[in-house]
Amino acid sequence: MKRKLLWIIAGLVVCALCIVAIVLLQKEDKHDHDHDDSEIVQDSSSQSFHSSDMLTSREDIKSVTVTSGGESFTVTAGQGGDPYIKQLEGIKQNIELENALIELCKGLHAERTVEENADDLAKYGLKEPKGKGEIVYNDGTKASILVGDASPADERLFYAAVEGQHTVVLVEGNAYVYFTGKAKDYVSPVLSPAAQRSASESAKMTVSKQGADGIVLERSGESWSMSAPIKAQLDEQKSSGTVNGLYGLNAEYCEVIKPDDAAKAKYGLDKPAVTVTLKDGAVDITLKIGNAAVRNDESEKERYYCTIQGVDGTDCIYAVAKEYLPWVDITAAGLVSDIMLPNYLVNLKSIELTLGGKKHEYVITNEGGEADKINEDVSKVRTVKVTSAGRELDLAKFRELYEQLMKCPTNRIYTNDVKGDASISAVYHKNDGSADRLELVKTDEGFGARVNGQMSYLVDKAWADKLTAMIDALE
């Protein structure tokens, strides 16, 4: 009997311990629940939403009208075709973005419920919502989604509600972006498709800048050269972005649709800082670059307002990243080759140098190539001998002299018409009978370099002094 009583007491103790444990667990669960919903203290009735809890879940969408900041636009779903926005008629539209809006509206789900039967939508920014998306279905029924403020607990989530209902939920930021957008956000950023490159051998680009000489670049075959303000070879690497940039230019975003004269003046496009034109076969494009764009995000990226003419559907003011606008900072000196007259020694018959009225002629003997042609594969040709007045010169020292000639600096463009005879001249006689002429004429700033009859560069006196010393040493 005594043993039986002990078993009963033990059983009662175990039951008591179980009850205590259950109570403690319930308190802990309540504490966690209160913590999770701390972003809105009043929302004691809030509960988790499952991923299957959809605000919209229909495929048969006819159109979506977005209203934000007093502006509205309607994306009409493509029934067997592409969607379109009537407000952008005549403007190239971003079809991918329009499709994305339609897809979002087909299945918009809530992350979780914040408050059911909310009697105060103002505290969520939903009484006067930041944006609204009205979805019209093929059968004429409608559903409107309202988006409000960001969640104070997670700025990636925003308060939302179905218009006419009082359940407040949280949705992801992409819903906020789409339902607060403007029609201009759906303008295509593609300004000049790469496919516009012409198969013609010739092309011409002009760059006009306020307060600077105009630059004219011309293409013959596959190579580009400068024809103004001077005639010069281009450095292929430094000029690549300039000559190719208009063949595939994209914008960051559209600022103004179909701008009037006042809008163009506001953004500095009535009197653009830079104007670039490209004529290539049937292509005739004009790009105008205006004021620096005001940053509309946290990016440090520089942008400029631009317009482009000659491409269908681009009657807008765009913001374009500066990295794709090499014409903003470009100078003639920044495009040309470091070598004034890029002649390979193995393609020359002779060089005539004249200094202080004294002429020095250097006759060049090459082997391995055609003596009457410009050899394309110079690796097969080599210079074996150089003579002056019948005397064979030290070939290594002559190469040093020739290298100094090739290094005549091109970093300062100079186009003043300087009168007077040349103090130093060099004539390069080529294998094919043609010749290049370099003349250095004294100026107050150094030597003006006349290349094939056109004043082109300014050369420091130090370079000319070194060349004179090297000629004296070689002789």
Side-chain angles (χ1 to χ4, degrees):
M1 183 71 180
K2 194 173 184 178
R3 181 178 293 180
K4 186 175 181 180
L5 182 60
L6 289 173
W7 279 109
I8 292 172
I9 294 172
L12 291 172
V13 171
V14 170
C15 290
L17 290 173
C18 289
I19 292 170
V20 170
I22 290 171
V23 170
L24 289 174
L25 286 172
Q26 287 178 335
K27 285 184 178 180
E28 184 176 354
D29 180 68
K30 184 177 186 302
H31 173 76
D32 288 344
H33 179 75
D34 290 342
H35 176 74
D36 289 342
D37 292 331
S38 59
E39 63 179 47
I40 298 294
V41 177
Q42 300 95 324
D43 300 342
S44 60
S45 62
S46 62
Q47 61 185 9
S48 295
F49 241 81
H50 299 291
S51 60
S52 60
D53 292 317
M54 308 296 289
L55 300 182
T56 62
S57 58
R58 288 178 61 174
E59 296 278 329
D60 58 327
I61 293 177
K62 181 179 181 180
S63 67
V64 178
T65 298
V66 174
T67 302
S68 177
E71 296 182 29
S72 294
F73 66 92
T74 299
V75 178
T76 300
Q79 305 299 331
D82 291 330
Y84 68 93
I85 298 174
K86 188 175 181 179
Q87 289 88 342
L88 297 180
E89 190 170 2
I91 302 296
K92 287 196 299 184
Q93 302 183 24
N94 191 330
I95 305 301
E96 292 78 10
L97 203 59
E98 292 170 357
N99 275 321
L101 172 61
I102 298 296
E103 290 301 315
L104 173 73
C105 292
K106 287 180 180 179
L108 180 62
H109 77 276
E111 293 298 307
R112 65 176 181 269
T113 299
V114 174
E115 184 178 3
E116 293 180 345
N117 300 316
D119 56 0
D120 182 11
L121 295 179
K123 66 183 179 183
Y124 303 107
L126 292 168
K127 186 175 182 179
E128 296 180 1
K130 303 295 188 299
K132 172 184 174 181
E134 181 185 73
I135 306 165
V136 178
Y137 298 98
N138 290 334
D139 61 3
T141 57
K142 300 178 181 180
S144 294
I145 306 300
L146 310 177
V147 291
D149 297 334
S151 163
D154 188 344
E155 293 184 353
R156 296 171 300 176
L157 301 178
F158 291 81
Y159 297 118
V162 177
E163 189 173 35
Q165 299 180 13
H166 291 273
T167 298
V168 178
V169 299
L170 286 171
V171 294
E172 289 187 349
N174 62 340
Y176 179 87
V177 170
Y178 280 106
F179 293 143
T180 59
K182 307 293 184 184
K184 66 181 182 180
D185 299 334
Y186 292 81
V187 172
S188 171
V190 180
L191 303 189
S192 55
Q196 289 186 335
R197 182 184 293 275
S198 171
S200 66
E201 291 189 353
S202 62
K204 184 176 182 180
M205 175 178 288
T206 63
V207 183
S208 303
K209 302 178 69 173
Q210 291 185 11
D213 291 333
I215 298 173
V216 180
L217 309 176
E218 298 190 50
R219 188 187 76 211
S220 178
E222 293 296 322
S223 62
W224 286 82
S225 62
M226 182 180 293
S227 57
I230 64 172
K231 292 181 180 179
Q233 298 291 321
L234 297 183
D235 181 287
E236 188 172 329
Q237 185 173 359
K238 291 189 292 186
S239 65
S240 177
T242 301
V243 300
N244 294 314
L246 274 181
Y247 288 101
L249 184 63
N250 283 5
E252 292 277 313
Y253 56 87
C254 170
E255 180 68 17
V256 181
I257 302 167
K258 298 181 180 179
D260 56 16
D261 291 343
K264 291 177 181 178
K266 176 182 177 181
Y267 294 101
L269 291 160
D270 56 334
K271 298 176 182 178
V274 184
T275 300
V276 186
T277 65
L278 171 66
K279 295 184 179 181
D280 184 0
V283 174
D284 191 348
I285 295 174
T286 299
L287 174 73
K288 296 182 179 181
I289 304 173
N291 299 336
V294 177
R295 292 193 177 101
N296 62 352
D297 53 27
E298 296 180 357
S299 169
E300 293 298 317
K301 184 182 292 185
E302 289 187 73
R303 306 177 179 93
Y304 283 83
Y305 294 120
C306 301
T307 59
I308 191 165
Q309 299 169 340
V311 181
D312 291 339
T314 58
D315 184 14
C316 298
I317 293 177
Y318 301 90
V320 181
K322 185 182 179 182
E323 61 185 299
Y324 301 119
L325 299 172
W327 312 280
V328 171
D329 295 325
I330 204 66
T331 62
L335 292 174
V336 300
S337 169
D338 293 333
I339 301 175
M340 287 187 189
L341 293 166
N343 295 311
Y344 286 104
L345 186 60
V346 293
N347 281 325
L348 298 179
K349 287 184 178 295
S350 66
I351 301 174
E352 291 180 19
L353 287 178
T354 303
L355 294 87
K358 183 178 180 180
K359 180 183 292 185
H360 306 266
E361 183 176 11
Y362 303 101
V363 180
I364 302 164
T365 303
N366 296 309
E367 288 184 353
E370 298 183 71
D372 59 347
K373 293 182 180 179
I374 302 298
N375 295 284
E376 294 183 3
D377 189 356
V378 296
S379 64
K380 296 180 179 179
V381 194
R382 63 191 184 94
T383 299
V384 295
K385 185 171 65 173
V386 177
T387 60
S388 177
R391 180 172 61 89
E392 186 171 346
L393 303 178
D394 183 297
L395 189 56
K397 288 188 176 181
F398 178 79
R399 288 184 184 277
E400 291 177 1
L401 172 64
Y402 187 70
E403 184 179 354
Q404 176 68 7
L405 278 172
M406 291 295 98
K407 287 182 177 179
C408 193
T410 62
N411 60 315
R412 299 169 70 187
I413 301 297
Y414 189 79
T415 57
N416 293 350
D417 185 16
V418 181
K419 306 297 183 182
D421 296 331
S423 300
I424 302 173
S425 67
V427 181
Y428 303 83
H429 295 280
K430 304 178 187 179
N431 289 344
D432 63 356
S434 62
D436 284 326
R437 178 181 291 273
L438 169 64
E439 299 170 287
L440 299 183
V441 185
K442 280 187 178 180
T443 73
D444 293 337
E445 302 173 78
F447 287 92
R450 187 183 291 133
V451 181
N452 289 327
Q454 182 179 7
M455 191 62 71
S456 302
Y457 304 97
L458 189 64
V459 179
D460 291 336
K461 182 176 180 296
W463 179 89
D465 289 343
K466 184 175 181 180
L467 178 67
T468 301
M470 293 180 76
I471 291 173
D472 290 342
L474 185 62
E475 292 294 327

